[in-house]
Amino acid sequence: MPPARLRRSSPITLILAGILALGFLIFVFLPSRGVSDASKLKHRGAASNPLSPPSLPFRKSKSSSQRVPPPVVHYHLNNLTTSPTPIENRETVLVLSPLVKFYPGYWENLLQLSYPHELISLGFIIPKTREGNTATLALQAAVAKTQSGPESKRFSSVTIVRQDFEPPLSSQSEAERHKLENQKARRAAMARARNSLLFTTLGPATSWVLWLDADIIETPPTLLQDLASHDKPIIVPNCYQRFINVDTKKPDIRPYDYNSWQDSDTAQQIAQGMGNDDIIVEGYSEIATYRTLMAHLADTSGNRDPTKLMPLDGVGGTALLVKADVHRDGAMFPPFPFYHLIETEGFAKMARRLGWSSWGLPNYFVSLAALVFQNEGIPSNTRLHF
């Protein structure tokens, strides 16, 4: 047989072969777009992806191209620390505030916190009422200004949740809110709001949760470091309120939060005689519990010890620092009578049943705003020195 002759390749075949070879080399030696994007998402934090907690609203992509698959993120909670040196250990803090009215002093005080703001995430829950709408607009304006300002002042993230149930009281005046007959309904609603906010925002990288009422307008700049330095699972400072002293006609302070207390035999006896749906609330003459109230143990002298600790059975929520593991273990704010306690006081009881103790700082103060008293002579920028 005559030897076979090699078929001569056409130029088109050679060009196609070159393109295929080049594509193969790009595929082998360059990382895929999906891997790159997933890596970037992971480095920016899980919140940047709708399927990684804490979640973000899902929005369909307007692009016709294929969506990048969400990353699978692993969290080792045993490596998460809650230590007395949170800054050195880069521990993240979630500051949560139920909010009905926006106080500029509250936001200004937040900005003055010396804890690194890149380690602080903020969460708010606001009722869907006319007053809530006004508060939302004011809050969003403050957030936009801060988050577009100097990086050192920006917070790691800000979440605003709109409440999905109606408030039990038509008026949010201080007199109406503190009527004894309104306490069960009001505090049950507060508990529901706190739980909604907590379960929506608590992430796997959170070390501490600071509950801060939206009318707290003065705290030491080192509030977070000071409270965490005691290394307690639940710790609360003493909350005081501004007012005009009717005797001196001058600005003064008075105890405000009576929910931080040590229990008494009298209170336990009262509870034993109550129905299943009844609750004990503190600070009312109609229910004389004779509990030891932290609010009445404050030393306001100049040489007081602000680090003094006392064990507590009930806690208030005006400024409450909680190790995130306490919430992860299941301690929440009962919106129902729990051992005849509700909301923050019920939280302390629930935490104790889970093995976590509560502590108070009777000589460490935070200050509450009261606009009605500012109209009587206290300028809005007055800071009271304890």
Side-chain angles (χ1 to χ4, degrees), residues 230-245:
H230 295 277
D231 199 22
K232 299 298 184 184
I234 303 168
I235 190 167
V236 59
N238 219 340
C239 180
Y240 269 59
Q241 185 183 44
R242 306 161 177 251
F243 78 108
I244 295 292
N245 190 310

Side-chain angles (χ1 to χ4, degrees), residues 22 36 49 87 95 163 170 250 263 304 311 371 377:
L22 180 62
S36 175
N49 190 277
I87 294 179
V95 179
Q163 202 165 289
S170 57
K250 293 181 179 180
D263 212 355
R304 69 184 178 276
L371 291 182

Side-chain angles (χ1 to χ4, degrees), residues 155-345:
F155 296 101
S156 177
S157 66
V158 181
T159 302
I160 300 175
V161 179
R162 295 308 298 269
Q163 202 165 289
D164 59 352
F165 55 89
E166 294 296 324
L169 303 180
S170 57
S171 172
Q172 288 297 318
S173 69
E174 186 169 347
E176 193 68 22
R177 286 188 296 116
H178 291 289
K179 285 183 179 179
L180 177 59
E181 61 268 25
N182 291 335
Q183 290 314 294
K184 185 177 179 181
R186 184 185 74 86
R187 298 195 65 188
M190 278 295 302
R192 291 179 63 190
R194 289 184 188 275
N195 291 332
S196 295
L197 182 57
L198 174 67
F199 299 151
T200 303
T201 56
L202 183 65
T206 303
S207 292
W208 300 90
V209 178
L210 175 68
W211 292 96
L212 192 66
D213 276 3
D215 50 1
I216 294 295
I217 50 88
E218 183 180 358
T219 69
T222 54
L223 174 70
L224 289 167
Q225 303 94 296
D226 293 343
L227 299 185
S229 67
H230 295 277
D231 199 22
K232 299 298 184 184
I234 303 168
I235 190 167
V236 59
N238 219 340
C239 180
Y240 269 59
Q241 185 183 44
R242 306 161 177 251
F243 78 108
I244 295 292
N245 190 310
V246 294
D247 297 323
T248 65
K249 307 298 182 184
K250 293 181 179 180
D252 205 343
I253 58 173
R254 64 183 178 186
Y256 179 81
D257 194 346
Y258 294 116
N259 296 333
S260 298
W261 42 258
Q262 293 176 338
D263 212 355
S264 67
D265 293 337
T266 302
Q268 294 179 23
Q269 291 171 5
I270 292 173
Q272 289 175 4
M274 284 184 158
N276 292 335
D277 293 331
D278 294 332
I279 63 170
I280 299 176
V281 289
E282 199 53 65
Y284 296 87
S285 58
E286 295 90 336
I287 308 177
T289 63
Y290 298 100
R291 288 167 171 161
T292 301
L293 306 182
M294 187 175 74
H296 290 162
L297 300 181
D299 178 3
T300 57
S301 67
N303 59 351
R304 69 184 178 276
D305 178 11
T307 65
K308 180 182 177 181
L309 281 166
M310 62 178 292
L312 295 174
D313 297 303
V315 296
T318 50
L320 176 68
L321 186 68
V322 181
K323 289 188 175 183
D325 282 347
V326 177
H327 286 309
R328 291 194 183 98
D329 276 2
M332 53 80 162
F333 301 91
F336 49 84
F338 183 76
Y339 291 86
H340 303 289
L341 303 172
I342 201 168
E343 204 221 347
T344 57
E345 294 159 293

